[in-house]
Amino acid sequence: MFDLTEVQMIRAWMVTAIARVRSERDERGEVAQTVIIVAILAAAAIAIATIIATKFKDKANTIPTE
């Protein structure tokens, strides 16, 4: 699926981005930004949960019961 180097690169990018944001911390507009990020993460979590639930349901329906 993912190569270990890809995961390491994504992690390094995220750590760098978080460090930059923390060092440039400006309180103005942070509420709107936080709300948008939380909404995106919530939508992604709902989508992922729906996909997983659908896969479980499809697999459960293929199990013979007789």
Side-chain angles (χ1 to χ4, degrees):
M1 181 179 259
F2 287 114
D3 192 13
L4 186 58
T5 56
E6 291 173 341
V7 174
Q8 290 172 335
M9 285 296 294
I10 292 170
R11 183 180 182 279
W13 176 78
M14 289 176 59
V15 167
T16 304
I18 290 170
R20 189 182 73 220
V21 168
R22 286 184 179 167
S23 68
E24 298 174 356
R25 192 129 185 144
D26 186 9
E27 298 298 325
R28 294 176 293 178
E30 191 167 321
V31 173
Q33 177 183 359
T34 304
V35 169
I36 291 170
I37 291 171
V38 169
I40 291 171
L41 291 175
I46 290 170
I48 291 169
T50 302
I51 291 169
I52 292 171
T54 303
K55 287 186 181 274
F56 278 138
K57 184 178 176 183
D58 290 343
K59 184 65 176 178
N61 288 334
T62 61
I63 297 173
T65 57
E66 294 182 27

